[in-house]
Amino acid sequence: MLNLSERNNLGALNLITSAIGAALGVLVPLYMLQKGFGIAEIGIIFAVFPLVFLVLRTIFAGIADVIGTRRIFVLNGMSSIASVLTYAVANSAHMFALGQVLDGVRASAFWAVNRTEAYRIGNGEERKIATIMLGLRGVGEFIGRIGIGAAIIYLGFTNSLAALSILSLALIYFAFRVKNENGQKLDISSVIRQFKERKASAFIPGAIVVGISSLSYDAPFALLLPVFFAQKAGMSALEIGAMLGVFSIISAITTLGAVKKKIDLKWITIGTIIGASVPFFLIDYVDKQMLFPLILVVAAGYGLKGNLFEAVVQKSVRESKAVSTDIAVLHIPYRFGEIAVFAGLGIIASQFGYALAFAFIGVTSIIYAVAAYMFVKE
């Protein structure tokens, strides 16, 4: 039977972690723009994050499969405090890169164990619980983006970061409430053994599909859209936060609605193709008033895209004996793709314009949707 107390605790961790991550996703690029960095420089610095994630998530996952998830969740909270305080004092490319390193530690710790914990408490409803957590992360992103937009206007960048460091303390509180700690001592040979476990036949095709998803999943919202809204659309921090915040809540509603209504995977795929790709071919050509309706369509598309993603992950590791490790290894192609996209799209937007960068997002979204559908249905 599903333990509601554990589900609610995990939900709080998802909500708060996503709120902080989304807030940083708005604040950091705008803060760097204020300090004179261009989009190409920002993109290269942002590429540090997935590089750290690539290495550490896999290591943390292997450790978690030996000692349990609690202490890894605690590390998530501690590194969250460290990262936001580093951004608060950053005044050079090196300091912002250090902030990205610590942010990568935070995200690595969270994602090394989050789906594992969802699957552990799922009791036969693993995909449902994982998708509910996806919806809660969307709500957290809404709160984080709306809140940080207002905070930047009324408190400034530094004070807003100080507020995020205080919020990070809540992550440590909820982390200590996680019950998945087996008391086993950390043994390097036991960790290495997790990586040698035989993978299911669906694992490698699943990793390829997950890798394709990286080409269009995070880059639009962590890099392209905040800078585009500020530079080309002339939006304030509050407007940018509100725009991306509405995206998050509509995406979350769509994700949870698709779960509740049990929408067929075929229609989820069609909705993903329409919503998560077509608007990107138009976004650089419409006036400011049309951006909001386009973002609403993108939000619905990305909400459905999240359902597809969880279906791919669940199928890839459903026979796994070391869930944390296998999920981390599954995402290795994702991180390689993300590094290339962050570094490359900033340069493309700087040298050739936003239209080409957005078109890349649109094309790769279509490829991903088709590949994911074929994989899950196989």
Side-chain angles (χ1 to χ4, degrees), residues 191-252:
V191 174
I192 294 173
R193 196 178 305 123
Q194 309 304 317
F195 296 98
K196 295 182 178 179
E197 289 283 353
R198 190 168 181 270
K199 311 302 181 189
S201 58
F203 189 85
I204 293 178
I208 294 171
V209 175
V210 167
I212 294 171
S213 75
S214 70
L215 303 178
S216 60
Y217 217 100
D218 292 325
F221 310 102
L223 176 63
L224 283 182
L225 286 175
V227 177
F228 174 79
F229 288 154
Q231 286 191 329
K232 198 156 185 186
M235 293 183 180
S236 68
L238 183 58
E239 289 176 305
I240 294 169
M243 183 80 82
L244 295 177
V246 169
F247 165 88
S248 298
I249 198 65
I250 296 299
S251 179

Side-chain angles (χ1 to χ4, degrees), residues 110-132:
F110 177 75
W111 283 109
V113 294
N114 186 52
R115 280 193 182 89
T116 305
E117 192 65 11
Y119 293 172
R120 183 185 71 83
I121 67 176
N123 195 26
E125 297 183 324
E126 290 84 358
R127 179 177 167 185
K128 177 181 178 182
I129 297 301
T131 308
I132 288 172

Side-chain angles (χ1 to χ4, degrees), residues 343-360:
L345 283 186
I347 295 171
I348 290 171
S350 175
Q351 298 298 317
F352 303 104
Y354 284 98
L356 184 60
F358 284 130
F360 175 85

Side-chain angles (χ1 to χ4, degrees), residues 8-9 12-13 16 73 169-178:
N8 292 342
N9 192 72
L13 283 165
I16 297 169
F73 274 123
L169 292 172
L171 291 176
I172 298 176
Y173 168 75
F174 286 110
F176 276 112
R177 289 169 55 88
V178 172

Side-chain angles (χ1 to χ4, degrees), residues 91-169:
N91 55 13
S92 67
H94 293 93
M95 286 298 291
F96 278 108
L98 177 59
Q100 288 288 300
V101 169
L102 293 169
D103 210 7
V105 175
R106 172 193 66 80
S108 298
F110 177 75
W111 283 109
V113 294
N114 186 52
R115 280 193 182 89
T116 305
E117 192 65 11
Y119 293 172
R120 183 185 71 83
I121 67 176
N123 195 26
E125 297 183 324
E126 290 84 358
R127 179 177 167 185
K128 177 181 178 182
I129 297 301
T131 308
I132 288 172
M133 294 303 148
L134 175 63
L136 285 173
R137 292 195 297 274
V139 175
E141 289 171 1
F142 169 75
I143 295 169
R145 286 165 173 164
I146 291 282
I148 205 65
I152 291 169
I153 295 294
Y154 296 109
L155 300 177
F157 288 103
T158 304
N159 289 334
S160 297
L161 286 163
L164 289 178
S165 70
I166 295 171
L167 181 59
S168 297
L169 292 172

